[in-house]
mmCIF file of all heavy atoms in Angstrom:
data_model
loop_
_atom_site.group_PDB
_atom_site.id
_atom_site.type_symbol
_atom_site.label_atom_id
_atom_site.label_comp_id
_atom_site.label_asym_id
_atom_site.label_seq_id
_atom_site.Cartn_x
_atom_site.Cartn_y
_atom_site.Cartn_z
ATOM 1 N N GLU V 169 -16.408 -34.624 9.798
ATOM 2 C CA GLU V 169 -15.131 -33.870 9.845
ATOM 3 C C GLU V 169 -15.383 -32.303 9.691
ATOM 4 O O GLU V 169 -14.793 -31.588 10.540
ATOM 5 C CB GLU V 169 -14.220 -34.394 8.658
ATOM 6 C CG GLU V 169 -12.814 -33.909 8.771
ATOM 7 C CD GLU V 169 -12.194 -34.040 10.203
ATOM 8 O OE1 GLU V 169 -12.301 -35.115 10.816
ATOM 9 O OE2 GLU V 169 -11.688 -33.020 10.703
ATOM 10 N N ARG V 170 -16.328 -32.003 8.813
ATOM 11 C CA ARG V 170 -16.690 -30.542 8.722
ATOM 12 C C ARG V 170 -17.305 -30.072 10.026
ATOM 13 O O ARG V 170 -16.933 -28.923 10.391
ATOM 14 C CB ARG V 170 -17.665 -30.355 7.545
ATOM 15 C CG ARG V 170 -17.074 -30.266 6.179
ATOM 16 C CD ARG V 170 -18.037 -29.652 5.204
ATOM 17 N NE ARG V 170 -19.333 -30.396 5.103
ATOM 18 C CZ ARG V 170 -19.482 -31.438 4.319
ATOM 19 N NH1 ARG V 170 -18.479 -31.991 3.617
ATOM 20 N NH2 ARG V 170 -20.710 -32.111 4.336
ATOM 21 N N PHE V 171 -18.113 -30.901 10.664
ATOM 22 C CA PHE V 171 -18.686 -30.381 11.880
ATOM 23 C C PHE V 171 -17.610 -30.082 12.915
ATOM 24 O O PHE V 171 -17.553 -29.028 13.571
ATOM 25 C CB PHE V 171 -19.660 -31.467 12.488
ATOM 26 C CG PHE V 171 -20.248 -31.001 13.777
ATOM 27 C CD1 PHE V 171 -21.497 -30.405 13.780
ATOM 28 C CD2 PHE V 171 -19.583 -31.028 15.003
ATOM 29 C CE1 PHE V 171 -22.111 -29.921 14.914
ATOM 30 C CE2 PHE V 171 -20.113 -30.533 16.159
ATOM 31 C CZ PHE V 171 -21.486 -30.002 16.133
ATOM 32 N N THR V 172 -16.603 -31.025 12.994
ATOM 33 C CA THR V 172 -15.509 -30.951 14.011
ATOM 34 C C THR V 172 -14.725 -29.648 13.716
ATOM 35 O O THR V 172 -14.424 -28.873 14.647
ATOM 36 C CB THR V 172 -14.689 -32.193 13.978
ATOM 37 O OG1 THR V 172 -15.454 -33.264 14.225
ATOM 38 C CG2 THR V 172 -13.521 -32.029 14.949
ATOM 39 N N ALA V 173 -14.334 -29.451 12.490
ATOM 40 C CA ALA V 173 -13.490 -28.281 12.141
ATOM 41 C C ALA V 173 -14.214 -27.009 12.418
ATOM 42 O O ALA V 173 -13.685 -26.045 12.945
ATOM 43 C CB ALA V 173 -13.074 -28.352 10.585
ATOM 44 N N ARG V 174 -15.496 -26.984 12.116
ATOM 45 C CA ARG V 174 -16.213 -25.719 12.223
ATOM 46 C C ARG V 174 -16.519 -25.446 13.650
ATOM 47 O O ARG V 174 -16.629 -24.288 14.103
ATOM 48 C CB ARG V 174 -17.481 -25.663 11.370
ATOM 49 C CG ARG V 174 -17.017 -25.619 9.888
ATOM 50 C CD ARG V 174 -18.123 -25.622 8.942
ATOM 51 N NE ARG V 174 -17.667 -25.630 7.581
ATOM 52 C CZ ARG V 174 -18.424 -26.029 6.570
ATOM 53 N NH1 ARG V 174 -19.544 -26.515 6.762
ATOM 54 N NH2 ARG V 174 -17.824 -25.950 5.333
ATOM 55 N N TYR V 175 -16.809 -26.510 14.464
ATOM 56 C CA TYR V 175 -16.996 -26.262 15.867
ATOM 57 C C TYR V 175 -15.900 -25.623 16.514
ATOM 58 O O TYR V 175 -16.041 -24.672 17.268
ATOM 59 C CB TYR V 175 -17.318 -27.662 16.566
ATOM 60 C CG TYR V 175 -17.476 -27.508 18.063
ATOM 61 C CD1 TYR V 175 -18.703 -27.127 18.571
ATOM 62 C CD2 TYR V 175 -16.477 -27.830 18.955
ATOM 63 C CE1 TYR V 175 -18.981 -26.984 19.884
ATOM 64 C CE2 TYR V 175 -16.715 -27.754 20.266
ATOM 65 C CZ TYR V 175 -17.918 -27.279 20.813
ATOM 66 O OH TYR V 175 -18.131 -27.192 22.153
ATOM 67 N N GLY V 176 -14.645 -26.001 16.136
ATOM 68 C CA GLY V 176 -13.428 -25.424 16.648
ATOM 69 C C GLY V 176 -13.267 -23.968 16.307
ATOM 70 O O GLY V 176 -12.522 -23.231 17.047
ATOM 71 N N ARG V 177 -13.883 -23.489 15.198
ATOM 72 C CA ARG V 177 -13.628 -22.117 14.772
ATOM 73 C C ARG V 177 -14.927 -21.276 15.066
ATOM 74 O O ARG V 177 -14.980 -20.125 14.705
ATOM 75 C CB ARG V 177 -13.497 -22.081 13.265
ATOM 76 C CG ARG V 177 -12.077 -22.676 12.800
ATOM 77 C CD ARG V 177 -11.753 -22.208 11.457
ATOM 78 N NE ARG V 177 -12.718 -22.625 10.421
ATOM 79 C CZ ARG V 177 -12.633 -23.763 9.715
ATOM 80 N NH1 ARG V 177 -11.595 -24.531 9.893
ATOM 81 N NH2 ARG V 177 -13.518 -24.027 8.773
ATOM 82 N N LEU V 178 -15.912 -21.782 15.829
ATOM 83 C CA LEU V 178 -17.087 -21.007 16.215
ATOM 84 C C LEU V 178 -16.650 -19.859 17.039
ATOM 85 O O LEU V 178 -15.640 -19.923 17.848
ATOM 86 C CB LEU V 178 -18.020 -21.839 16.952
ATOM 87 C CG LEU V 178 -18.910 -22.926 16.232
ATOM 88 C CD1 LEU V 178 -19.674 -23.638 17.219
ATOM 89 C CD2 LEU V 178 -19.803 -22.197 15.181
ATOM 90 N N ASP V 179 -17.449 -18.729 16.929
ATOM 91 C CA ASP V 179 -17.397 -17.621 17.783
ATOM 92 C C ASP V 179 -17.524 -18.179 19.244
ATOM 93 O O ASP V 179 -18.334 -19.009 19.561
ATOM 94 C CB ASP V 179 -18.548 -16.700 17.415
ATOM 95 C CG ASP V 179 -18.419 -15.391 18.314
ATOM 96 O OD1 ASP V 179 -18.765 -15.442 19.527
ATOM 97 O OD2 ASP V 179 -18.074 -14.386 17.725
ATOM 98 N N GLY V 180 -16.621 -17.628 20.171
ATOM 99 C CA GLY V 180 -16.654 -18.132 21.573
ATOM 100 C C GLY V 180 -18.009 -18.054 22.194
ATOM 101 O O GLY V 180 -18.417 -18.939 23.043
ATOM 102 N N ALA V 181 -18.770 -16.942 21.849
ATOM 103 C CA ALA V 181 -20.112 -16.732 22.542
ATOM 104 C C ALA V 181 -21.065 -17.859 22.158
ATOM 105 O O ALA V 181 -21.943 -18.185 22.876
ATOM 106 C CB ALA V 181 -20.653 -15.407 22.028
ATOM 107 N N VAL V 182 -20.807 -18.414 20.940
ATOM 108 C CA VAL V 182 -21.690 -19.555 20.518
ATOM 109 C C VAL V 182 -21.145 -20.892 21.132
ATOM 110 O O VAL V 182 -21.915 -21.674 21.583
ATOM 111 C CB VAL V 182 -21.772 -19.602 18.935
ATOM 112 C CG1 VAL V 182 -22.460 -20.884 18.483
ATOM 113 C CG2 VAL V 182 -22.434 -18.355 18.389
ATOM 114 N N ARG V 183 -19.901 -21.090 20.950
ATOM 115 C CA ARG V 183 -19.313 -22.397 21.332
ATOM 116 C C ARG V 183 -19.515 -22.687 22.803
ATOM 117 O O ARG V 183 -19.764 -23.829 23.157
ATOM 118 C CB ARG V 183 -17.782 -22.481 20.993
ATOM 119 C CG ARG V 183 -17.276 -23.918 21.087
ATOM 120 C CD ARG V 183 -15.937 -24.036 20.585
ATOM 121 N NE ARG V 183 -14.965 -23.154 21.138
ATOM 122 C CZ ARG V 183 -14.236 -22.268 20.473
ATOM 123 N NH1 ARG V 183 -14.307 -22.258 19.199
ATOM 124 N NH2 ARG V 183 -13.402 -21.496 21.137
ATOM 125 N N ARG V 184 -19.536 -21.676 23.660
ATOM 126 C CA ARG V 184 -19.664 -21.967 25.105
ATOM 127 C C ARG V 184 -21.067 -22.410 25.426
ATOM 128 O O ARG V 184 -21.321 -22.822 26.537
ATOM 129 C CB ARG V 184 -19.316 -20.693 25.916
ATOM 130 C CG ARG V 184 -20.312 -19.546 25.845
ATOM 131 C CD ARG V 184 -19.763 -18.250 26.392
ATOM 132 N NE ARG V 184 -19.883 -18.196 27.811
ATOM 133 C CZ ARG V 184 -20.766 -17.547 28.430
ATOM 134 N NH1 ARG V 184 -21.754 -16.807 27.716
ATOM 135 N NH2 ARG V 184 -20.860 -17.405 29.794
ATOM 136 N N ARG V 185 -22.008 -22.264 24.458
ATOM 137 C CA ARG V 185 -23.407 -22.662 24.782
ATOM 138 C C ARG V 185 -23.910 -23.831 23.897
ATOM 139 O O ARG V 185 -24.913 -24.385 24.173
ATOM 140 C CB ARG V 185 -24.357 -21.480 24.553
ATOM 141 C CG ARG V 185 -24.104 -20.291 25.408
ATOM 142 C CD ARG V 185 -25.180 -19.312 25.259
ATOM 143 N NE ARG V 185 -24.976 -18.014 25.890
ATOM 144 C CZ ARG V 185 -25.162 -17.863 27.248
ATOM 145 N NH1 ARG V 185 -25.611 -18.885 28.003
ATOM 146 N NH2 ARG V 185 -24.945 -16.714 27.815
ATOM 147 N N LEU V 186 -23.100 -24.184 22.807
ATOM 148 C CA LEU V 186 -23.621 -25.193 21.848
ATOM 149 C C LEU V 186 -23.527 -26.597 22.377
ATOM 150 O O LEU V 186 -22.577 -27.014 22.986
ATOM 151 C CB LEU V 186 -22.880 -25.030 20.595
ATOM 152 C CG LEU V 186 -23.565 -25.750 19.397
ATOM 153 C CD1 LEU V 186 -24.788 -24.849 18.962
ATOM 154 C CD2 LEU V 186 -22.569 -25.809 18.184
ATOM 155 N N VAL V 187 -24.654 -27.228 22.206
ATOM 156 C CA VAL V 187 -24.759 -28.763 22.433
ATOM 157 C C VAL V 187 -25.407 -29.402 21.216
ATOM 158 O O VAL V 187 -26.242 -28.793 20.582
ATOM 159 C CB VAL V 187 -25.503 -29.060 23.777
ATOM 160 C CG1 VAL V 187 -24.795 -28.443 24.938
ATOM 161 C CG2 VAL V 187 -26.925 -28.698 23.693
ATOM 162 N N ILE V 188 -25.050 -30.692 21.001
ATOM 163 C CA ILE V 188 -25.713 -31.438 19.893
ATOM 164 C C ILE V 188 -26.675 -32.448 20.475
ATOM 165 O O ILE V 188 -26.437 -32.962 21.575
ATOM 166 C CB ILE V 188 -24.717 -32.053 18.980
ATOM 167 C CG1 ILE V 188 -23.700 -32.946 19.756
ATOM 168 C CG2 ILE V 188 -24.021 -31.039 18.106
ATOM 169 C CD1 ILE V 188 -22.838 -33.794 18.823
ATOM 170 N N GLU V 189 -27.760 -32.713 19.731
ATOM 171 C CA GLU V 189 -28.770 -33.629 20.166
ATOM 172 C C GLU V 189 -28.864 -34.836 19.180
ATOM 173 O O GLU V 189 -28.799 -34.555 17.919
ATOM 174 C CB GLU V 189 -30.086 -32.813 20.173
ATOM 175 C CG GLU V 189 -31.251 -33.654 20.451
ATOM 176 C CD GLU V 189 -32.558 -32.803 20.174
ATOM 177 O OE1 GLU V 189 -32.450 -31.611 19.891
ATOM 178 O OE2 GLU V 189 -33.631 -33.434 20.201
ATOM 179 N N ASN V 190 -28.892 -35.975 19.683
ATOM 180 C CA ASN V 190 -29.084 -37.109 18.723
ATOM 181 C C ASN V 190 -30.461 -37.004 18.067
ATOM 182 O O ASN V 190 -31.406 -36.605 18.779
ATOM 183 C CB ASN V 190 -29.009 -38.475 19.532
ATOM 184 C CG ASN V 190 -29.933 -38.574 20.701
ATOM 185 O OD1 ASN V 190 -29.949 -37.724 21.591
ATOM 186 N ND2 ASN V 190 -30.765 -39.635 20.709
ATOM 187 N N ASP V 191 -30.524 -37.342 16.749
ATOM 188 C CA ASP V 191 -31.781 -37.273 16.061
ATOM 189 C C ASP V 191 -32.349 -38.594 15.733
ATOM 190 O O ASP V 191 -31.736 -39.607 15.959
ATOM 191 C CB ASP V 191 -31.661 -36.263 14.866
ATOM 192 C CG ASP V 191 -30.772 -36.946 13.761
ATOM 193 O OD1 ASP V 191 -31.199 -37.992 13.203
ATOM 194 O OD2 ASP V 191 -29.679 -36.390 13.550
ATOM 195 N N ASP V 192 -33.516 -38.606 15.157
ATOM 196 C CA ASP V 192 -34.287 -39.878 14.909
ATOM 197 C C ASP V 192 -33.881 -40.611 13.616
ATOM 198 O O ASP V 192 -34.341 -41.706 13.330
ATOM 199 C CB ASP V 192 -35.734 -39.690 15.058
ATOM 200 C CG ASP V 192 -36.245 -38.642 14.019
ATOM 201 O OD1 ASP V 192 -35.409 -37.990 13.363
ATOM 202 O OD2 ASP V 192 -37.464 -38.508 13.893
ATOM 203 N N ARG V 193 -33.026 -39.995 12.778
ATOM 204 C CA ARG V 193 -32.678 -40.606 11.500
ATOM 205 C C ARG V 193 -31.230 -40.676 11.186
ATOM 206 O O ARG V 193 -30.696 -41.684 10.817
ATOM 207 C CB ARG V 193 -33.431 -39.888 10.398
ATOM 208 C CG ARG V 193 -34.899 -40.100 10.355
ATOM 209 C CD ARG V 193 -35.578 -39.474 9.044
ATOM 210 N NE ARG V 193 -35.070 -38.117 8.895
ATOM 211 C CZ ARG V 193 -34.846 -37.561 7.700
ATOM 212 N NH1 ARG V 193 -35.060 -38.185 6.679
ATOM 213 N NH2 ARG V 193 -34.446 -36.313 7.594
ATOM 214 N N LEU V 194 -30.476 -39.473 11.287
ATOM 215 C CA LEU V 194 -29.178 -39.430 10.691
ATOM 216 C C LEU V 194 -28.098 -39.611 11.662
ATOM 217 O O LEU V 194 -27.063 -40.180 11.439
ATOM 218 C CB LEU V 194 -29.018 -38.057 9.955
ATOM 219 C CG LEU V 194 -30.104 -37.782 8.960
ATOM 220 C CD1 LEU V 194 -29.855 -36.394 8.350
ATOM 221 C CD2 LEU V 194 -30.057 -38.858 7.847
ATOM 222 N N TYR V 195 -28.190 -38.936 12.861
ATOM 223 C CA TYR V 195 -27.053 -38.932 13.802
ATOM 224 C C TYR V 195 -27.536 -39.534 15.180
ATOM 225 O O TYR V 195 -28.284 -38.852 15.865
ATOM 226 C CB TYR V 195 -26.471 -37.578 14.004
ATOM 227 C CG TYR V 195 -25.644 -37.133 12.759
ATOM 228 C CD1 TYR V 195 -26.203 -36.418 11.792
ATOM 229 C CD2 TYR V 195 -24.333 -37.485 12.630
ATOM 230 C CE1 TYR V 195 -25.481 -36.006 10.573
ATOM 231 C CE2 TYR V 195 -23.577 -37.167 11.485
ATOM 232 C CZ TYR V 195 -24.155 -36.446 10.498
ATOM 233 O OH TYR V 195 -23.453 -36.057 9.392
ATOM 234 N N SER V 196 -27.221 -40.724 15.451
ATOM 235 C CA SER V 196 -27.573 -41.407 16.648
ATOM 236 C C SER V 196 -26.678 -40.914 17.829
ATOM 237 O O SER V 196 -25.731 -40.137 17.605
ATOM 238 C CB SER V 196 -27.409 -42.860 16.469
ATOM 239 O OG SER V 196 -26.030 -43.172 16.345
ATOM 240 N N LEU V 197 -27.044 -41.422 18.993
ATOM 241 C CA LEU V 197 -26.155 -41.081 20.195
ATOM 242 C C LEU V 197 -24.733 -41.452 19.891
ATOM 243 O O LEU V 197 -23.737 -40.765 20.237
ATOM 244 C CB LEU V 197 -26.783 -41.793 21.386
ATOM 245 C CG LEU V 197 -25.864 -41.552 22.705
ATOM 246 C CD1 LEU V 197 -25.894 -40.100 23.046
ATOM 247 C CD2 LEU V 197 -26.370 -42.437 23.834
ATOM 248 N N GLY V 198 -24.510 -42.704 19.260
ATOM 249 C CA GLY V 198 -23.210 -43.135 19.020
ATOM 250 C C GLY V 198 -22.440 -42.130 18.112
ATOM 251 O O GLY V 198 -21.270 -41.836 18.376
ATOM 252 N N HIS V 199 -23.081 -41.614 17.068
ATOM 253 C CA HIS V 199 -22.424 -40.599 16.248
ATOM 254 C C HIS V 199 -22.062 -39.329 17.041
ATOM 255 O O HIS V 199 -21.024 -38.731 16.922
ATOM 256 C CB HIS V 199 -23.362 -40.179 14.984
ATOM 257 C CG HIS V 199 -23.558 -41.285 14.093
ATOM 258 N ND1 HIS V 199 -24.874 -41.742 13.760
ATOM 259 C CD2 HIS V 199 -22.772 -42.167 13.433
ATOM 260 C CE1 HIS V 199 -24.781 -42.758 12.953
ATOM 261 N NE2 HIS V 199 -23.542 -43.034 12.694
ATOM 262 N N CYS V 200 -22.990 -38.909 17.914
ATOM 263 C CA CYS V 200 -22.820 -37.696 18.714
ATOM 264 C C CYS V 200 -21.636 -37.960 19.657
ATOM 265 O O CYS V 200 -20.810 -37.047 19.839
ATOM 266 C CB CYS V 200 -24.040 -37.398 19.500
ATOM 267 S SG CYS V 200 -25.455 -36.757 18.450
#
Side-chain angles (χ1 to χ4, degrees):
Chain V
E169 193 45 49
R170 277 197 302 278
F171 183 97
T172 303
R174 289 178 183 159
Y175 178 78
R177 291 201 298 268
L178 284 176
D179 184 286
V182 171
R183 192 170 56 236
R184 71 195 278 261
R185 298 191 187 278
L186 197 71
V187 298
I188 53 173
E189 172 191 352
N190 58 303
D191 67 66
D192 57 353
R193 289 187 310 147
L194 304 180
Y195 288 93
S196 67
L197 178 65
H199 296 123
C200 292

